[in-house]
mmCIF file of all heavy atoms in Angstrom:
data_model
loop_
_atom_site.group_PDB
_atom_site.id
_atom_site.type_symbol
_atom_site.label_atom_id
_atom_site.label_comp_id
_atom_site.label_asym_id
_atom_site.label_seq_id
_atom_site.Cartn_x
_atom_site.Cartn_y
_atom_site.Cartn_z
ATOM 1 N N LYS A 1 9.479 -17.777 -2.271
ATOM 2 C CA LYS A 1 8.169 -17.214 -2.614
ATOM 3 C C LYS A 1 7.880 -15.955 -1.796
ATOM 4 O O LYS A 1 7.318 -14.985 -2.318
ATOM 5 C CB LYS A 1 7.075 -18.254 -2.425
ATOM 6 C CG LYS A 1 7.119 -19.359 -3.464
ATOM 7 C CD LYS A 1 5.935 -20.277 -3.338
ATOM 8 C CE LYS A 1 6.003 -21.421 -4.325
ATOM 9 N NZ LYS A 1 5.964 -21.011 -5.716
ATOM 10 N N LEU A 2 8.271 -15.946 -0.521
ATOM 11 C CA LEU A 2 8.086 -14.740 0.298
ATOM 12 C C LEU A 2 8.911 -13.582 -0.261
ATOM 13 O O LEU A 2 8.446 -12.443 -0.307
ATOM 14 C CB LEU A 2 8.465 -15.013 1.753
ATOM 15 C CG LEU A 2 7.490 -15.866 2.550
ATOM 16 C CD1 LEU A 2 8.087 -16.237 3.905
ATOM 17 C CD2 LEU A 2 6.167 -15.144 2.734
ATOM 18 N N LYS A 3 10.127 -13.887 -0.702
ATOM 19 C CA LYS A 3 10.973 -12.849 -1.300
ATOM 20 C C LYS A 3 10.338 -12.334 -2.585
ATOM 21 O O LYS A 3 10.316 -11.121 -2.832
ATOM 22 C CB LYS A 3 12.374 -13.388 -1.561
ATOM 23 C CG LYS A 3 13.343 -12.326 -2.055
ATOM 24 C CD LYS A 3 14.748 -12.853 -2.119
ATOM 25 C CE LYS A 3 15.780 -11.878 -2.573
ATOM 26 N NZ LYS A 3 15.388 -10.713 -3.266
ATOM 27 N N GLU A 4 9.799 -13.235 -3.410
ATOM 28 C CA GLU A 4 9.119 -12.813 -4.635
ATOM 29 C C GLU A 4 7.923 -11.913 -4.316
ATOM 30 O O GLU A 4 7.694 -10.906 -4.986
ATOM 31 C CB GLU A 4 8.648 -14.030 -5.439
ATOM 32 C CG GLU A 4 9.737 -14.732 -6.194
ATOM 33 C CD GLU A 4 9.208 -15.942 -6.972
ATOM 34 O OE1 GLU A 4 8.057 -16.388 -6.715
ATOM 35 O OE2 GLU A 4 9.931 -16.442 -7.832
ATOM 36 N N LEU A 5 7.150 -12.282 -3.289
ATOM 37 C CA LEU A 5 5.994 -11.487 -2.885
ATOM 38 C C LEU A 5 6.433 -10.083 -2.469
ATOM 39 O O LEU A 5 5.873 -9.081 -2.909
ATOM 40 C CB LEU A 5 5.233 -12.167 -1.746
ATOM 41 C CG LEU A 5 4.109 -11.355 -1.109
ATOM 42 C CD1 LEU A 5 2.995 -11.083 -2.105
ATOM 43 C CD2 LEU A 5 3.579 -12.072 0.124
ATOM 44 N N ARG A 6 7.444 -10.029 -1.629
ATOM 45 C CA ARG A 6 7.948 -8.724 -1.171
ATOM 46 C C ARG A 6 8.441 -7.890 -2.352
ATOM 47 O O ARG A 6 8.116 -6.709 -2.463
ATOM 48 C CB ARG A 6 9.065 -8.925 -0.149
ATOM 49 C CG ARG A 6 9.610 -7.606 0.367
ATOM 50 C CD ARG A 6 10.701 -7.817 1.407
ATOM 51 N NE ARG A 6 11.226 -6.565 1.841
ATOM 52 C CZ ARG A 6 10.678 -5.777 2.760
ATOM 53 N NH1 ARG A 6 9.562 -6.142 3.348
ATOM 54 N NH2 ARG A 6 11.220 -4.630 3.087
ATOM 55 N N ASP A 7 9.214 -8.500 -3.249
ATOM 56 C CA ASP A 7 9.730 -7.784 -4.415
ATOM 57 C C ASP A 7 8.587 -7.282 -5.295
ATOM 58 O O ASP A 7 8.619 -6.154 -5.785
ATOM 59 C CB ASP A 7 10.671 -8.677 -5.228
ATOM 60 C CG ASP A 7 11.986 -8.963 -4.517
ATOM 61 O OD1 ASP A 7 12.294 -8.273 -3.514
ATOM 62 O OD2 ASP A 7 12.693 -9.883 -4.957
ATOM 63 N N HIS A 8 7.551 -8.106 -5.492
ATOM 64 C CA HIS A 8 6.407 -7.710 -6.316
ATOM 65 C C HIS A 8 5.700 -6.497 -5.705
ATOM 66 O O HIS A 8 5.378 -5.534 -6.411
ATOM 67 C CB HIS A 8 5.419 -8.877 -6.459
ATOM 68 C CG HIS A 8 4.173 -8.504 -7.185
ATOM 69 N ND1 HIS A 8 4.104 -8.397 -8.555
ATOM 70 C CD2 HIS A 8 2.941 -8.172 -6.714
ATOM 71 C CE1 HIS A 8 2.891 -8.028 -8.906
ATOM 72 N NE2 HIS A 8 2.164 -7.894 -7.814
ATOM 73 N N ILE A 9 5.485 -6.541 -4.386
ATOM 74 C CA ILE A 9 4.785 -5.434 -3.721
ATOM 75 C C ILE A 9 5.618 -4.155 -3.790
ATOM 76 O O ILE A 9 5.104 -3.090 -4.129
ATOM 77 C CB ILE A 9 4.441 -5.801 -2.267
ATOM 78 C CG1 ILE A 9 3.357 -6.886 -2.256
ATOM 79 C CG2 ILE A 9 3.981 -4.580 -1.480
ATOM 80 C CD1 ILE A 9 3.102 -7.506 -0.904
ATOM 81 N N THR A 10 6.902 -4.256 -3.490
ATOM 82 C CA THR A 10 7.722 -3.040 -3.476
ATOM 83 C C THR A 10 7.908 -2.459 -4.884
ATOM 84 O O THR A 10 8.133 -1.267 -5.021
ATOM 85 C CB THR A 10 9.092 -3.283 -2.816
ATOM 86 O OG1 THR A 10 9.771 -4.337 -3.496
ATOM 87 C CG2 THR A 10 8.931 -3.633 -1.349
ATOM 88 N N LYS A 11 7.779 -3.281 -5.932
ATOM 89 C CA LYS A 11 7.906 -2.782 -7.303
ATOM 90 C C LYS A 11 6.588 -2.221 -7.835
ATOM 91 O O LYS A 11 6.592 -1.313 -8.667
ATOM 92 C CB LYS A 11 8.399 -3.898 -8.232
ATOM 93 C CG LYS A 11 9.862 -4.226 -8.041
ATOM 94 C CD LYS A 11 10.291 -5.364 -8.939
ATOM 95 C CE LYS A 11 11.714 -5.785 -8.606
ATOM 96 N NZ LYS A 11 12.067 -7.033 -9.277
ATOM 97 N N ASN A 12 5.457 -2.763 -7.377
ATOM 98 C CA ASN A 12 4.175 -2.417 -7.987
ATOM 99 C C ASN A 12 3.236 -1.600 -7.111
ATOM 100 O O ASN A 12 2.245 -1.085 -7.608
ATOM 101 C CB ASN A 12 3.467 -3.699 -8.438
ATOM 102 C CG ASN A 12 4.274 -4.425 -9.490
ATOM 103 O OD1 ASN A 12 4.513 -3.902 -10.558
ATOM 104 N ND2 ASN A 12 4.730 -5.631 -9.167
ATOM 105 N N ALA A 13 3.498 -1.505 -5.833
ATOM 106 C CA ALA A 13 2.632 -0.735 -4.939
ATOM 107 C C ALA A 13 3.266 0.623 -4.658
ATOM 108 O O ALA A 13 4.464 0.814 -4.845
ATOM 109 C CB ALA A 13 2.400 -1.507 -3.636
ATOM 110 N N HIS A 14 2.449 1.544 -4.180
ATOM 111 C CA HIS A 14 2.910 2.900 -3.869
ATOM 112 C C HIS A 14 3.397 2.943 -2.422
ATOM 113 O O HIS A 14 2.659 2.581 -1.508
ATOM 114 C CB HIS A 14 1.761 3.892 -4.090
ATOM 115 C CG HIS A 14 2.140 5.305 -3.844
ATOM 116 N ND1 HIS A 14 2.753 6.084 -4.795
ATOM 117 C CD2 HIS A 14 2.011 6.084 -2.745
ATOM 118 C CE1 HIS A 14 2.977 7.281 -4.295
ATOM 119 N NE2 HIS A 14 2.538 7.314 -3.051
ATOM 120 N N TYR A 15 4.635 3.403 -2.209
ATOM 121 C CA TYR A 15 5.190 3.503 -0.857
ATOM 122 C C TYR A 15 4.677 4.782 -0.198
ATOM 123 O O TYR A 15 4.868 5.880 -0.718
ATOM 124 C CB TYR A 15 6.719 3.498 -0.904
ATOM 125 C CG TYR A 15 7.355 3.693 0.450
ATOM 126 C CD1 TYR A 15 7.297 2.684 1.399
ATOM 127 C CD2 TYR A 15 7.989 4.880 0.779
ATOM 128 C CE1 TYR A 15 7.877 2.845 2.644
ATOM 129 C CE2 TYR A 15 8.566 5.056 2.028
ATOM 130 C CZ TYR A 15 8.501 4.034 2.952
ATOM 131 O OH TYR A 15 9.073 4.200 4.197
ATOM 132 N N VAL A 16 4.024 4.619 0.967
ATOM 133 C CA VAL A 16 3.479 5.776 1.687
ATOM 134 C C VAL A 16 4.172 5.998 3.022
ATOM 135 O O VAL A 16 3.814 6.911 3.761
ATOM 136 C CB VAL A 16 1.949 5.641 1.882
ATOM 137 C CG1 VAL A 16 1.238 5.681 0.542
ATOM 138 C CG2 VAL A 16 1.599 4.387 2.668
ATOM 139 N N GLY A 17 5.150 5.168 3.338
ATOM 140 C CA GLY A 17 5.945 5.341 4.565
ATOM 141 C C GLY A 17 5.106 5.321 5.822
ATOM 142 O O GLY A 17 4.178 4.518 5.951
ATOM 143 N N PRO A 18 5.382 6.238 6.745
ATOM 144 C CA PRO A 18 4.669 6.237 8.031
ATOM 145 C C PRO A 18 3.217 6.704 7.910
ATOM 146 O O PRO A 18 2.466 6.627 8.878
ATOM 147 C CB PRO A 18 5.489 7.206 8.894
ATOM 148 C CG PRO A 18 6.242 8.061 7.930
ATOM 149 C CD PRO A 18 6.459 7.225 6.702
ATOM 150 N N ARG A 19 2.809 7.148 6.717
ATOM 151 C CA ARG A 19 1.416 7.552 6.518
ATOM 152 C C ARG A 19 0.525 6.363 6.195
ATOM 153 O O ARG A 19 -0.645 6.526 5.848
ATOM 154 C CB ARG A 19 1.327 8.572 5.369
ATOM 155 C CG ARG A 19 2.059 9.873 5.615
ATOM 156 C CD ARG A 19 1.816 10.925 4.521
ATOM 157 N NE ARG A 19 1.417 10.409 3.224
ATOM 158 C CZ ARG A 19 2.238 10.121 2.210
ATOM 159 N NH1 ARG A 19 3.544 10.276 2.347
ATOM 160 N NH2 ARG A 19 1.774 9.673 1.055
ATOM 161 N N PHE A 20 1.043 5.136 6.303
ATOM 162 C CA PHE A 20 0.269 3.956 5.929
ATOM 163 C C PHE A 20 -1.096 3.890 6.605
ATOM 164 O O PHE A 20 -2.102 3.706 5.913
ATOM 165 C CB PHE A 20 1.064 2.663 6.196
ATOM 166 C CG PHE A 20 0.285 1.428 5.821
ATOM 167 C CD1 PHE A 20 0.288 0.981 4.508
ATOM 168 C CD2 PHE A 20 -0.453 0.734 6.757
ATOM 169 C CE1 PHE A 20 -0.443 -0.131 4.146
ATOM 170 C CE2 PHE A 20 -1.186 -0.382 6.404
ATOM 171 C CZ PHE A 20 -1.178 -0.825 5.090
ATOM 172 N N PRO A 21 -1.206 4.039 7.934
ATOM 173 C CA PRO A 21 -2.543 3.937 8.551
ATOM 174 C C PRO A 21 -3.528 4.972 7.987
ATOM 175 O O PRO A 21 -4.681 4.645 7.698
ATOM 176 C CB PRO A 21 -2.272 4.184 10.040
ATOM 177 C CG PRO A 21 -0.836 3.831 10.227
ATOM 178 C CD PRO A 21 -0.164 4.206 8.941
ATOM 179 N N GLU A 22 -3.064 6.187 7.809
ATOM 180 C CA GLU A 22 -3.917 7.267 7.280
ATOM 181 C C GLU A 22 -4.367 6.952 5.855
ATOM 182 O O GLU A 22 -5.560 7.071 5.520
ATOM 183 C CB GLU A 22 -3.127 8.576 7.319
ATOM 184 C CG GLU A 22 -3.822 9.766 6.714
ATOM 185 C CD GLU A 22 -2.907 10.981 6.645
ATOM 186 O OE1 GLU A 22 -1.903 11.029 7.388
ATOM 187 O OE2 GLU A 22 -3.196 11.864 5.829
ATOM 188 N N GLU A 23 -3.434 6.547 4.997
ATOM 189 C CA GLU A 23 -3.759 6.233 3.602
ATOM 190 C C GLU A 23 -4.664 5.014 3.506
ATOM 191 O O GLU A 23 -5.580 4.978 2.684
ATOM 192 C CB GLU A 23 -2.479 6.017 2.794
ATOM 193 C CG GLU A 23 -1.643 7.267 2.620
ATOM 194 C CD GLU A 23 -2.348 8.339 1.798
ATOM 195 O OE1 GLU A 23 -3.011 8.004 0.801
ATOM 196 O OE2 GLU A 23 -2.232 9.520 2.164
ATOM 197 N N ALA A 24 -4.415 3.994 4.336
ATOM 198 C CA ALA A 24 -5.256 2.788 4.327
ATOM 199 C C ALA A 24 -6.695 3.139 4.698
ATOM 200 O O ALA A 24 -7.648 2.616 4.099
ATOM 201 C CB ALA A 24 -4.690 1.744 5.281
ATOM 202 N N ARG A 25 -6.875 4.026 5.669
ATOM 203 C CA ARG A 25 -8.229 4.456 6.056
ATOM 204 C C ARG A 25 -8.913 5.201 4.900
ATOM 205 O O ARG A 25 -10.088 4.983 4.623
ATOM 206 C CB ARG A 25 -8.160 5.350 7.292
ATOM 207 C CG ARG A 25 -7.981 4.596 8.568
ATOM 208 C CD ARG A 25 -8.136 5.506 9.794
ATOM 209 N NE ARG A 25 -7.906 4.729 10.989
ATOM 210 C CZ ARG A 25 -6.715 4.625 11.603
ATOM 211 N NH1 ARG A 25 -5.673 5.288 11.138
ATOM 212 N NH2 ARG A 25 -6.590 3.872 12.674
ATOM 213 N N LYS A 26 -8.185 6.111 4.246
ATOM 214 C CA LYS A 26 -8.767 6.874 3.136
ATOM 215 C C LYS A 26 -9.255 5.934 2.033
ATOM 216 O O LYS A 26 -10.342 6.117 1.485
ATOM 217 C CB LYS A 26 -7.745 7.865 2.569
ATOM 218 C CG LYS A 26 -7.487 9.057 3.449
ATOM 219 C CD LYS A 26 -6.458 9.973 2.798
ATOM 220 C CE LYS A 26 -6.113 11.158 3.673
ATOM 221 N NZ LYS A 26 -5.072 12.009 3.059
ATOM 222 N N ILE A 27 -8.449 4.933 1.711
ATOM 223 C CA ILE A 27 -8.831 3.970 0.671
ATOM 224 C C ILE A 27 -10.024 3.151 1.138
ATOM 225 O O ILE A 27 -11.000 2.969 0.399
ATOM 226 C CB ILE A 27 -7.627 3.066 0.297
ATOM 227 C CG1 ILE A 27 -6.540 3.895 -0.394
ATOM 228 C CG2 ILE A 27 -8.071 1.898 -0.579
ATOM 229 C CD1 ILE A 27 -5.216 3.176 -0.568
ATOM 230 N N HIS A 28 -9.979 2.667 2.372
ATOM 231 C CA HIS A 28 -11.049 1.820 2.911
ATOM 232 C C HIS A 28 -12.387 2.551 2.943
ATOM 233 O O HIS A 28 -13.428 1.979 2.620
ATOM 234 C CB HIS A 28 -10.678 1.331 4.318
ATOM 235 C CG HIS A 28 -11.708 0.476 4.956
ATOM 236 N ND1 HIS A 28 -11.910 -0.838 4.592
ATOM 237 C CD2 HIS A 28 -12.616 0.741 5.938
ATOM 238 C CE1 HIS A 28 -12.880 -1.349 5.320
ATOM 239 N NE2 HIS A 28 -13.338 -0.410 6.146
ATOM 240 N N TYR A 29 -12.385 3.817 3.333
ATOM 241 C CA TYR A 29 -13.629 4.574 3.466
ATOM 242 C C TYR A 29 -14.007 5.320 2.185
ATOM 243 O O TYR A 29 -14.932 6.126 2.186
ATOM 244 C CB TYR A 29 -13.533 5.539 4.651
ATOM 245 C CG TYR A 29 -13.458 4.800 5.979
ATOM 246 C CD1 TYR A 29 -12.322 4.887 6.778
ATOM 247 C CD2 TYR A 29 -14.513 4.005 6.418
ATOM 248 C CE1 TYR A 29 -12.243 4.204 7.988
ATOM 249 C CE2 TYR A 29 -14.447 3.318 7.627
ATOM 250 C CZ TYR A 29 -13.310 3.425 8.401
ATOM 251 O OH TYR A 29 -13.237 2.742 9.589
ATOM 252 N N GLY A 30 -13.289 5.070 1.079
ATOM 253 C CA GLY A 30 -13.648 5.654 -0.206
ATOM 254 C C GLY A 30 -13.235 7.102 -0.378
ATOM 255 O O GLY A 30 -13.692 7.767 -1.309
ATOM 256 N N GLU A 31 -12.370 7.609 0.486
ATOM 257 C CA GLU A 31 -11.912 9.000 0.369
ATOM 258 C C GLU A 31 -10.755 9.134 -0.609
ATOM 259 O O GLU A 31 -10.386 10.244 -0.974
ATOM 260 C CB GLU A 31 -11.497 9.519 1.747
ATOM 261 C CG GLU A 31 -12.626 9.544 2.762
ATOM 262 C CD GLU A 31 -12.131 9.812 4.182
ATOM 263 O OE1 GLU A 31 -10.953 10.200 4.349
ATOM 264 O OE2 GLU A 31 -12.927 9.620 5.113
ATOM 265 N N ALA A 32 -10.175 8.016 -0.996
ATOM 266 C CA ALA A 32 -9.076 8.003 -1.970
ATOM 267 C C ALA A 32 -9.298 6.819 -2.901
ATOM 268 O O ALA A 32 -9.945 5.831 -2.543
ATOM 269 C CB ALA A 32 -7.723 7.879 -1.261
ATOM 270 N N GLU A 33 -8.749 6.922 -4.100
ATOM 271 C CA GLU A 33 -8.886 5.849 -5.087
ATOM 272 C C GLU A 33 -8.189 4.580 -4.590
ATOM 273 O O GLU A 33 -7.108 4.635 -3.987
ATOM 274 C CB GLU A 33 -8.230 6.321 -6.391
ATOM 275 C CG GLU A 33 -8.353 5.341 -7.525
ATOM 276 C CD GLU A 33 -7.666 5.840 -8.792
ATOM 277 O OE1 GLU A 33 -7.514 7.074 -8.938
ATOM 278 O OE2 GLU A 33 -7.280 4.998 -9.604
ATOM 279 N N HIS A 34 -8.816 3.444 -4.858
ATOM 280 C CA HIS A 34 -8.233 2.173 -4.427
ATOM 281 C C HIS A 34 -6.949 1.911 -5.200
ATOM 282 O O HIS A 34 -6.898 2.036 -6.422
ATOM 283 C CB HIS A 34 -9.203 1.013 -4.648
ATOM 284 C CG HIS A 34 -8.681 -0.267 -4.060
ATOM 285 N ND1 HIS A 34 -7.782 -1.056 -4.726
ATOM 286 C CD2 HIS A 34 -8.897 -0.861 -2.865
ATOM 287 C CE1 HIS A 34 -7.472 -2.094 -3.967
ATOM 288 N NE2 HIS A 34 -8.140 -1.998 -2.839
ATOM 289 N N ARG A 35 -5.895 1.616 -4.471
ATOM 290 C CA ARG A 35 -4.609 1.276 -5.056
ATOM 291 C C ARG A 35 -3.828 0.463 -4.033
ATOM 292 O O ARG A 35 -4.135 0.464 -2.850
ATOM 293 C CB ARG A 35 -3.836 2.534 -5.453
ATOM 294 C CG ARG A 35 -3.389 3.388 -4.271
ATOM 295 C CD ARG A 35 -2.931 4.770 -4.745
ATOM 296 N NE ARG A 35 -2.231 5.520 -3.733
ATOM 297 C CZ ARG A 35 -2.792 6.146 -2.703
ATOM 298 N NH1 ARG A 35 -4.092 6.080 -2.529
ATOM 299 N NH2 ARG A 35 -2.066 6.823 -1.835
ATOM 300 N N SER A 36 -2.809 -0.232 -4.507
ATOM 301 C CA SER A 36 -1.948 -0.995 -3.604
ATOM 302 C C SER A 36 -0.935 -0.041 -2.981
ATOM 303 O O SER A 36 -0.298 0.737 -3.687
ATOM 304 C CB SER A 36 -1.206 -2.096 -4.355
ATOM 305 O OG SER A 36 -2.118 -3.039 -4.855
ATOM 306 N N ILE A 37 -0.823 -0.121 -1.663
ATOM 307 C CA ILE A 37 0.141 0.719 -0.940
ATOM 308 C C ILE A 37 0.915 -0.149 0.038
ATOM 309 O O ILE A 37 0.483 -1.241 0.408
ATOM 310 C CB ILE A 37 -0.549 1.881 -0.182
ATOM 311 C CG1 ILE A 37 -1.512 1.342 0.885
ATOM 312 C CG2 ILE A 37 -1.248 2.828 -1.142
ATOM 313 C CD1 ILE A 37 -2.068 2.412 1.827
#
C-alpha cells in the first residue's frame, strides 16, 4: 500500500524538486493555485 501511495503521488502530482518549501508556502498562502506537489 505504501508503494501504491508513492506511485500514485509521483504519477499524479507535480514534481517541484528542491523548491518544495517555496511552492508549498505559495499554495498555502493562496499565492498559487492549489495542486498536489
Side-chain angles (χ1 to χ4, degrees):
K1 289 186 183 297
L2 287 171
K3 186 172 181 342
E4 283 180 346
L5 172 64
R6 181 179 178 82
D7 290 346
H8 175 79
I9 291 170
T10 57
K11 286 178 187 169
N12 298 298
H14 182 84
Y15 176 71
V16 295
R19 297 187 336 267
F20 180 84
E22 176 187 340
E23 293 295 320
R25 281 189 182 93
K26 287 180 183 178
I27 293 169
H28 179 75
Y29 293 116
E31 298 169 12
E33 183 181 336
H34 187 278
R35 67 194 193 283
S36 295
I37 62 171

